Amino acid sequence: MRSALVFGGSSQIGMPLLNRLRSDGWRVIAVSRDERSDEPGLQWLRGDLGRVEGLPRQVETIFSCGPLDLFAQWFAGTPPETGRVVAFGSTSIDVKRGSSDAGERENAARLREGERSLFATADARGIAATVLRPTLVYGAGRDRTLTRIARVAQRFGYFALPRDAVGLRQPAHVEDLAAAAFAVAPATAAHGQSYALPGGETLTYRDMVARLLDSLQPAPKLVELPGPMFNLLLAAAHAAGHAQGFGEAAVARMRSDLTFDAAPAQRDFGYAPRPFRPTADMFAQREA
Ligand SMILES: NC(=O)c1ccc[n+]([C@@H]2O[C@H](COP(=O)([O-])OP(=O)(O)OC[C@H]3O[C@@H](n4cnc5c(N)ncnc54)[C@H](OP(=O)(O)O)[C@@H]3O)[C@@H](O)[C@H]2O)c1
């Protein structure tokens, strides 16, 4: 029987991955910092990437759907014997490396170091590793961009954008990302490679938000403001304790194209993401 060890199994990408592995008959061991109930074909271990008890001695594939830097550190220690590792990183590795925000630059540096360390450990031990870098993730009501926009819009009945929010985006659905992790595991062409995983449609930030708002019931209004007016509104929101973490760098990015090529992933493991067709349930509140 095929066996998998999954970190980040409770994450928005991890949950659909666990389902895929189990439906395909894999024996799955997943790790969480919280107590979780076992299900047929799925055993949960309680622990984190610093310390986890009861790991198997040997496992066919290790998947990481949580923080890449912590996973790479754990992997550099004494992981179970394995021949294959598939780990999620992020396109932020490139997008945020030149950000005006120090926190974002740090995040990009952590991702870079995580990938470097993961491949170095894998090479030294003769293990085949692949890193998958999703773009903007949505679909499970737990992401920090589109679901957050939906919540704000539902609360106030409108959502404001600067008029020039025309940078291109490729939102990627969690089910397609889980399918990619599942499909890449047996793909030998993917050994030692990193892949961008964009969504199946490229559209402007404005159109992405407009489509999201249209999917909600009742549909909140999209308000497009001149740049200075938008900045005033954002400053007022910050003063009232809203939109924390959404700063100057994020506003500037709305004008920039953040697009990636899906062709290598399509060629090497048949990645076929869906176009962006949001429905209200994709942004409804969910528990991990
Ligand atoms: N969200 C996005 O837009 C986005 C974009 C690009 C790439 N990604 C990548 O896609 C993957 C999944 O992202 P996500 O947003 O669904 O989840 P996330 O917030 O990055 O990670 C949450 C998951 O990581 C696990 N985790 C966190 N700290 C841990 C620790 N110290 N030890 C063990 N497990 C730990 C959590 O498990 P427990 O809480 O059960 O312990 C949970 O399952 C991540 O690699 C992320 O970097 C996400």
Side-chain angles (χ1 to χ4, degrees), residues 243-267:
Q244 301 302 326
F246 189 82
E248 222 173 90
V251 175
R253 257 200 310 277
M254 287 185 196
R255 298 181 206 110
S256 309
D257 295 345
L258 307 184
T259 54
F260 297 86
D261 187 6
Q266 184 176 24
R267 178 197 63 216

Side-chain angles (χ1 to χ4, degrees), residues 63-211:
F63 293 93
S64 166
C65 309
L68 179 65
D69 52 341
L70 299 182
F71 176 72
Q73 283 164 26
W74 172 83
F75 185 60
T78 46
E81 262 176 57
T82 190
R84 187 79 177 106
V85 171
V86 175
F88 279 94
S90 172
T91 49
S92 297
I93 194 171
D94 292 325
V95 170
K96 294 185 178 161
R97 80 191 302 164
S99 170
S100 59
D101 181 302
E104 291 188 353
R105 285 198 305 276
E106 251 172 58
N107 183 27
R110 268 203 307 275
L111 286 166
R112 239 185 347 269
E113 172 53 23
E115 285 202 18
R116 190 209 57 75
S117 158
L118 180 70
F119 282 122
T121 306
D123 272 356
R125 295 179 184 166
I127 298 168
T130 301
V131 172
L132 302 175
R133 302 171 175 171
T135 52
L136 198 154
V137 174
Y138 76 100
R142 292 167 56 190
D143 62 279
R144 289 177 215 100
T145 306
L146 293 180
T147 295
R148 203 168 162 203
I149 291 174
R151 301 249 162 88
V152 171
Q154 283 174 316
R155 178 164 177 203
F156 294 103
Y158 72 92
F159 193 81
L161 282 179
R163 267 193 197 138
D164 55 357
V166 292
L168 296 175
R169 293 295 183 276
Q170 299 165 309
H173 194 282
V174 289
E175 292 279 356
D176 294 337
L177 298 170
F182 182 75
V184 83
T188 47
H191 292 181
Q193 304 293 324
S194 295
Y195 295 89
L197 296 184
E201 187 173 354
T202 304
L203 70 177
T204 63
Y205 198 103
R206 185 235 169 252
D207 288 351
M208 176 179 76
V209 172
R211 219 180 272 181

Side-chain angles (χ1 to χ4, degrees), residues 8 10-13 32-33 48-49 65-66 88-90 135 137 144:
S10 67
S11 72
Q12 48 186 338
I13 301 171
S32 174
R33 292 163 300 173
D48 66 20
L49 285 156
C65 309
F88 279 94
S90 172
T135 52
V137 174
R144 289 177 215 100

